[in-house]
Each structure stands twice: as structure tokens, then as C-alpha cells.
Amino acid sequence: MTAISKILIANRGEIALRVLRACKELGIATVAVHSTADADAMHVRLADESVCIGPPPSRDSYLNIHQIVAACEITGADAVHPGYGFLSENAKFADILDAHGITFIGPTAEHIRLMGDKITAKKTAVELGIPVVPGSDGEVLPENALKIAREIGFPVLIKATAGGGGRGMKVAKNEAELEEAVSTARSEALAAFGNDAVYMEKYLGKPRHIEVQVVGDGAGNAIHLGERDCSLQRRHQKVWEEANSPALNVEQRMKIGQICADAMKKMKYRGAGTIEFLYENGEFFFIEMNTRLQVEHPITEAITGIDLVHEQIRVASGAGLSVTQDQIVFSGHAIECRINAEDPRTFVPSPGTITHFHAPGGLGVRVDSGVYAGYKIPPYYDSLIGKLIVHGRTRVECMMRLRRVLDEFVVDGIKTTLPLFQDLVANQDIANGDYDIHWLEHYLAETSA
Ligand code: ADP
């Protein structure tokens, strides 16, 4: 066992604060790192120590591995929690920390690499008994694209093996569109990821996005914590998430959960991870695995009562999981709304100073946010300023509570996406849980006309 006594949090915003809270509860000292633009951030104020690691651009600060390792050495931090985004899925970072004797709170560098390359990830999923989207065996080149597409059947989706954030993805509805789709996907992938390798999948028409939360101890023991439905997306970015999925029953939940937990046992996976699927006509199709904590993890915490960051820290230190699969009880329903500093119709970022801030409260309400009245949102980073998580005994109760809570939430001085959620919570399809991954884009197109 490697006891952890001081954790450096290599992130910013709401997730830095969320990790800090878990450390405090466990009696572990905290080090915040920040760019010059984030000197006034809440996680910096609340951490035991803080180190400025560079100027505002992420590549010079939150992505600057040397500065972060130096900050560990100066402060004596013996572990790093990477949060999500930034260096959280960077295998080189995990290797470098390892070489310095610093614990990376996450999976092994080998597992990050395995799942970071999507072609390899899909092959691994097949080997582990996880169902995948029908598609090419490996890389697709312009010269063999047509043959493969005919085998799969149109429409097909061209995806970047190094992909993320929905970039490097192109649909070809028919043969005429294929050549262009492959070449655009390849050049987008090269520009975004420095790797032009693409693969092909059957394009599913009306799937839901359903993902399974897993945690492994690295020694062959692993559990699942049920699923999250993240079908409400805009430009492949999740907007509203719920647990459990309105589309699954208990048997389906436990079956896919067990498949995922068994796969993680076989891999000897360590840490928290999410196995993402598309779900259509009762069938699950693996699309990718994220080897880190996800933005939407609090809805799983709400329905299980398990603190996922506690579990991450436990397994990183070799203390093992705090629960067995049998002890996990799924209770009620939870919904998360991502509050972005953006115009609720155009989604244009709206940085600036928050003049007034009132977070809602009451039973079943959680607000994870690092902002406060007087806080100036810097323009350099993504626009997520907070997450609203509401829990109820049933989905109906959860929706009633969400409606009340949205009316109570006040963020003045900037535009936010709160009004969008007020519309969604009043919508009949949403009330019925009747939506797929295209629903939100159609809704936005219709209601802006
Ligand atoms: P990224 O890592 O870039 O986010 P993913 O593989 O996770 O890429 O896919 C992101 C989103 O793209 C999914 O949630 C879904 O909305 C859509 N998508 C991905 N694969 C398919 C597919 N085969 N058919 C239809 N939609 C897909």
C-alpha cells in the first residue's frame, strides 16, 4: 500500500473543488495549482497550499507537465488527481509521475493508452466480451473505404481513432458522400490530434447514449455503479444527464453492468472508468471507454450514495474498494444540468463578472460550482461554471424538484444556459423520457425558427 498524505489537484473550476472536498473528508492535505488567470479561484482559496504554474493558456499551465511535477516536488505532494479533461487521459503524464515516485490517481499508463486509441479500444472491448458497433476491423484508408462501407451498409460514420469531443467524425449517407467524408475526417483528425487514422462504424439512426460507471482496484476486483443516460447532447456534447436511464429496466441495467464489471476484472483495471454505449432497439453497442472521472459522475453518486473520488483515492493507494457489488443499492432518480456561461439559444460563450449568485438548496439538491458573486469568469477555458444535480425518490419527483430548483437559481451579470433547462423540464417528451441523441438538436432547430 502506498499511503497518500498530500494530493496535488491538477485541474481548475468545479472539478478541482469537487476533488478538494473529497481530500478534506479523507484528511488528506491538498495542493491547488493554477494559472495566473485563476489566482482568485475558489479551489485555490480553499486548498492548504497553492502554486502558480503559468500564464492563462492551458498548454502553458494546466497542460504543462514539467511545471506540475515541479509543483509536486516543491510542496511534497505524493499523489496527483487529474480531474477530467487536461492531463486526465495522458499516458505520458502517468508515466512521468510514476518515474518520480508520485501516485497518479487513475489507471495505469498502459490502460490509458489502450483505451485512448479507439481502434485498439474496440478490439479490446471485443476480446473482453463487450458488444460493439458493427464496423471496420481496424484503420480505414481511402482505397479500401468503399469495400468496407458496402460490407457494413450505409449510412456509415467515419471516426478518428485518436478522437474526442466529437471531432474528426463524419457521416456518409451513401456511396457518393463517402470519399469526401473519409478525406474530411482524416484531415480534421490530423489537425485536431496529429493522427489521421480513421475507422468506420455503422451509423445508428436513433440511438440513446447510455454509459456504465465502473471502478476497479487494479488487482482483479471491479464493480459497476449502474448507468447514466446522456442522450441529450448538442454537437456531441452532453447537456443533461440522468441516472437511471428512463429506457432501461432493472434486468437490463444489471446485465450490462455485470458485462462491464466482468470486463474490468479481466483487465485488472484500476480506478474509475466509464464504458460508453449507444443503445438502440434493446441492444448495446460499445463506442468508447473514458479512463477517468466524468463530468456527470455526481448523478451516480446521488443514486448510490458512493463518493467516486473517495473510491479513486482508495484504489490508487492500494486500499481497495469500500464496497462490494452486493452492497450497492440503487435508490431513486437523479438529473444533472450542466450550467454553462453561454447564451442559452446561440451557445456563444459569455465570460465576464458574476454580479449576483444564489445557489438553490433543499432536500435532494447539489450544486457543484467554483463560482461566487464577484467572480470574474476568464475567457480562456471551457464555459462550464457549475453543475446542478437533483435527486428524488422517483423520476417524477426528481423532475418536480428540478423545476422548483431552476426557478430558485440566480446567476446575474453573465448569460447562462439555465433558461434552456427551464424549457426542457417543462417539455412533454422529456417528461416521458422519450428522446434519443438527436432530440435536443431537433428541438433547438425547431424552437429557434
Ligand atoms: P468522442 O470521443 O469524440 O466524443 P464518441 O465515440 O464518444 O466520440 O461519440 C460521441 C457521440 O457521437 C455519441 O455520443 C453519439 O452521439 C455519436 N456517435 C458516435 N458513434 C456513433 C454511431 N456509430 N452512430 C451514431 N452516432 C454515433
Side-chain angles (χ1 to χ4, degrees):
M1 243 174 61
T2 355
I4 291 175
S5 57
K6 193 188 269 192
I7 293 178
L8 181 143
I9 303 162
N11 216 301
R12 63 180 301 281
E14 68 85 18
I15 195 61
L17 190 55
R18 196 266 164 265
V19 172
L20 183 132
R21 287 174 172 150
C23 296
K24 289 213 165 184
E25 287 175 8
L26 295 172
I28 297 171
T30 50
V31 180
V33 291
H34 63 89
S35 71
T36 50
D38 279 338
D40 291 332
M42 191 54 93
H43 76 279
V44 177
R45 295 186 182 192
L46 293 179
D48 297 312
E49 290 169 80
S50 65
V51 181
C52 179
I53 50 165
S58 307
R59 64 174 180 281
D60 300 323
S61 49
Y62 299 104
L63 291 171
N64 187 330
I65 294 178
H66 297 296
Q67 288 286 57
I68 292 169
V69 173
C72 287
E73 295 197 323
I74 293 165
T75 57
D78 47 18
V80 171
H81 194 300
Y84 53 68
F86 294 129
L87 296 168
S88 60
E89 291 177 294
N90 186 312
K92 190 175 127 201
F93 183 51
D95 275 334
I96 291 173
L97 290 179
D98 198 39
H100 283 79
I102 301 163
T103 302
F104 176 71
I105 302 175
T108 60
E110 183 201 339
H111 284 162
I112 298 174
R113 279 198 186 92
L114 194 68
M115 292 300 170
D117 179 88
K118 293 188 173 190
I119 292 177
T120 319
K122 246 181 121 171
K123 281 191 184 138
T124 309
V126 173
E127 282 163 20
L128 293 170
I130 298 174
V132 302
V133 189
S136 61
D137 252 345
E139 190 178 346
V140 166
L141 296 164
E143 53 271 26
N144 61 13
L146 185 58
K147 183 169 172 281
I148 297 171
R150 281 179 178 156
E151 279 165 20
I152 298 170
F154 285 95
V156 294
L157 185 64
I158 317 298
K159 299 171 80 171
T161 191
R167 282 173 301 174
M169 242 192 269
K170 286 281 164 275
V171 185
K173 290 198 283 297
N174 48 48
E175 294 196 3
E177 290 181 5
L178 186 65
E179 197 181 319
E180 163 101 22
V182 173
S183 72
T184 318
R186 278 166 64 92
S187 47
E188 264 188 39
L190 186 65
F193 313 111
N195 175 355
D196 69 356
V198 296
Y199 62 108
M200 198 186 293
E201 272 180 359
K202 174 94 193 142
Y203 179 74
L204 303 175
K206 289 179 162 294
R208 298 180 82 108
H209 173 117
I210 296 181
E211 56 186 35
V212 177
Q213 176 70 54
V214 291
V215 193
D217 68 358
N221 186 24
I223 54 171
H224 75 85
L225 294 159
E227 85 288 4
R228 295 183 286 259
D229 194 317
C230 312
S231 302
L232 290 172
Q233 304 180 353
R234 180 182 166 271
R235 300 203 172 155
H236 303 302
Q237 299 293 317
K238 299 161 189 168
V239 171
W240 154 307
E241 302 100 345
E242 38 187 316
N244 304 306
S245 168
L248 298 192
N249 61 34
V250 180
E251 288 74 40
Q252 289 169 307
R253 166 166 317 118
M254 296 317 274
K255 188 172 169 213
I256 191 68
Q258 201 54 53
I259 289 173
C260 293
D262 288 345
M264 294 304 103
K265 286 179 192 168
K266 268 191 234 167
M267 257 178 100
K268 291 200 166 62
Y269 185 76
R270 182 188 71 209
T274 301
I275 307 185
E276 297 193 334
F277 295 93
L278 295 178
Y279 174 81
E280 196 172 57
N281 301 328
E283 276 189 273
F284 285 94
F285 304 99
F286 169 89
I287 46 173
E288 67 165 339
M289 176 169 181
N290 291 319
T291 52
R292 56 169 167 83
L293 192 67
Q294 284 193 274
V295 176
E296 60 273 23
H297 76 276
I299 52 174
T300 298
E301 297 183 325
I303 62 161
T304 61
I306 293 168
D307 185 310
L308 282 163
V309 180
H310 283 190
E311 295 305 311
Q312 287 187 298
I313 296 170
R314 283 183 66 100
V315 297
S317 70
L321 295 162
S322 76
V323 281
T324 60
Q325 191 71 56
D326 303 347
Q327 291 168 337
I328 297 165
V329 182
F330 297 98
S331 165
H333 194 88
I335 295 175
E336 174 181 275
C337 301
R338 296 194 189 195
I339 317 294
N340 288 345
E342 289 172 356
D343 182 292
R345 297 311 308 188
T346 62
F347 300 96
V348 172
S350 174
T353 300
I354 295 177
T355 52
H356 189 67
F357 184 80
H358 170 75
L363 180 65
V365 181
R366 169 174 173 181
V367 177
D368 275 20
S369 171
V371 308
Y372 49 87
Y375 177 75
K376 188 164 184 244
I377 299 163
Y380 311 101
Y381 312 106
D382 79 28
S383 52
L384 182 75
I385 56 161
K387 305 184 306 203
L388 171 62
I389 302 102
V390 174
H391 183 236
R393 287 173 302 174
T394 60
R395 187 168 187 270
V396 170
E397 187 178 87
C398 187
M399 293 280 283
M400 281 162 49
R401 185 161 288 150
L402 179 57
R403 200 186 279 242
R404 182 273 290 176
V405 163
L406 285 165
D407 281 344
E408 203 177 311
F409 210 144
V410 181
V411 186
D412 285 343
I414 56 157
K415 290 180 184 168
T416 75
T417 47
L418 279 166
L420 170 65
F421 296 109
Q422 285 178 312
D423 291 345
L424 293 179
V425 80
N427 182 281
Q428 197 55 48
D429 286 346
I430 302 291
N432 297 340
D434 183 14
Y435 54 80
D436 62 29
I437 59 169
H438 305 296
W439 188 93
L440 183 59
E441 299 230 352
H442 289 157
Y443 170 81
L444 291 170
E446 276 166 22
T447 49
S448 70

